[in-house]
Amino acid sequence: MSSPTRSDDRHELAAGLRALRLDSGCSTTELARRLGWSQSKVSRVERAVTLAKPDEVDEWARLLHAAPELRSRLTELARRQGVELTEWKRRVAPGRRKVQEEIRALEAAASAIWVFAPQVVPGLAQTGAYAAVMFRLGQGQALSPEELAGAVQARLARQAVLGDRAKRLKLLFTESALRRSLLPASAMRDQLQRMVEVARLPNVEMGMVAFSTRERTHIYHGFSIIGDPDVDRAALVLAETVTSSLRVRDPDEVRQYVEHYRRLAEGALFGDELVAFLQEISARSPWS
């Protein structure tokens, strides 16, 4: 089964909803008002970026006076997509090795990568022990040793991209990531040492938004920007919620994420300041 973001049914649904709105002469702003949505949500649904629920699709069709057959067809497409999304999440849930391998391929083809991790160490700088904890916490079911090992191996394999000096990599996290009690003190010190090593790579710019940093913008959620939208035609943004995975491909939206990253990084610690901070935290071992 392909990812739901690539489904023909999903694009048929988006195109059908857009055509229905255009035929009715209703603007996205007016439709959003009538639905009680934001205008951006209407736009995302029409571009197949956001999946509307069956009842939302039915209300869209009702408000625009769709013929009964079309209304039923669009609602059924939404229902099937909901099932497909659920099945896709079940498929990737055991270890998520396949997802890590897909991301590795995307990163290998990109000229630049930006990662913002609000409360965790960025995956490209994680040790095996830290990655294992992340997969355990991120699953709703117990992983077998084989599934966990496969997921960790796949995530660590992505770090080969750090050795490509032709790529620009920017990794940003917050101080909260260093304060969480996720690992024994000795394992967390190993994690901090790994971050020091990554921070010293010539093609990597690693930064930390400290508690003392005066923030320039709101922290909404973590995300990865894979590819420069001004260079890479396939540039996209990856983000995850509790229930789904989001891929943003519109170049203008990807540029907005790049700008958001830039503002998040203003005032962050970089270079020698960051290394000194990591070494100080390691010496004090606040997780003991």
Side-chain angles (χ1 to χ4, degrees):
M1 181 187 301
S2 61
S3 165
T5 58
R6 297 178 181 176
S7 166
D8 291 340
D9 282 353
R10 182 162 184 169
H11 288 286
E12 180 186 343
L13 173 61
L17 291 172
R18 183 172 187 274
L20 181 59
R21 179 184 61 78
L22 292 175
D23 289 345
S24 71
C26 186
S27 69
T28 56
T29 301
E30 173 60 19
L31 180 57
R33 184 190 67 78
R34 294 168 68 181
L35 287 168
W37 297 3
S38 66
Q39 186 277 336
S40 61
K41 179 175 178 179
V42 171
S43 178
R44 291 196 303 272
V45 168
E46 290 190 348
R47 290 182 287 113
V49 173
T50 294
L51 175 63
K53 298 177 182 177
D55 60 333
E56 293 176 327
V57 170
D58 185 65
E59 180 67 2
W60 181 311
R62 185 189 68 79
L63 287 172
L64 298 182
H65 308 291
E69 297 80 4
L70 177 58
R71 183 173 169 182
S72 296
R73 170 63 178 169
L74 294 174
T75 304
E76 173 61 16
L77 285 171
R79 188 195 66 78
R80 279 166 32 185
Q81 283 301 296
V83 172
E84 183 180 355
L85 180 59
T86 299
E87 291 302 319
W88 178 74
K89 288 187 290 186
R90 288 174 180 169
R91 177 176 63 85
V92 301
R96 300 184 67 125
R97 176 171 188 158
K98 182 176 178 62
V99 171
Q100 294 298 308
E101 291 171 345
E102 291 174 350
I103 295 174
R104 181 185 182 187
L106 292 171
E107 290 171 337
S111 65
I113 298 169
W114 293 259
V115 177
F116 174 57
Q119 298 191 49
V120 300
V121 174
L124 291 175
Q126 291 178 6
T127 62
Y130 193 98
V133 170
M134 290 295 97
F135 282 112
R136 290 194 190 101
L137 292 180
Q139 297 293 333
Q141 59 186 22
L143 296 175
S144 71
E146 294 77 15
E147 290 168 340
L148 180 60
V152 171
Q153 181 183 27
R155 174 162 290 179
L156 296 183
R158 287 173 46 204
Q159 297 182 11
V161 75
L162 298 171
D164 186 345
R165 297 295 187 261
K167 294 186 187 297
R168 293 178 292 120
L169 296 102
K170 297 177 183 289
L171 311 178
L172 186 66
F173 60 97
T174 73
E175 187 174 340
S176 297
L178 308 183
R179 304 290 183 175
R180 298 175 66 189
S181 298
L182 298 172
L183 295 170
S186 60
M188 194 61 195
R189 282 193 292 271
D190 290 341
Q191 175 60 74
L192 293 178
Q193 179 56 40
R194 175 56 180 161
M195 296 170 76
V196 168
E197 295 168 358
V198 173
R200 286 173 169 164
L201 294 173
N203 59 324
V204 176
E205 179 184 270
M206 178 180 281
M208 183 190 74
V209 180
F211 290 151
S212 60
T213 300
R214 184 177 296 276
E215 297 177 16
R216 271 65 168 185
T217 189
H218 183 62
I219 295 175
Y220 294 98
H221 57 79
F223 58 87
S224 297
I225 309 168
I226 303 180
D228 186 333
D230 294 323
V231 177
D232 303 308
R233 294 183 61 185
L236 78 163
V237 175
L238 301 179
E240 288 192 351
T241 69
V242 173
T243 59
S244 62
S245 177
L246 173 68
R247 295 192 176 197
V248 177
R249 297 183 182 273
D250 180 84
D252 289 337
E253 290 194 54
V254 176
R255 291 187 186 95
Q256 290 181 46
Y257 271 93
V258 173
E259 175 60 19
H260 184 52
Y261 182 99
R262 185 191 67 77
R263 296 197 65 194
L264 287 167
E266 291 179 1
L269 299 181
F270 293 95
D272 292 340
E273 283 187 310
L274 173 60
V275 168
F277 190 95
L278 294 173
Q279 291 173 335
E280 179 185 355
I281 289 288
S282 179
R284 287 195 284 113
S285 298
W287 327 277
S288 301

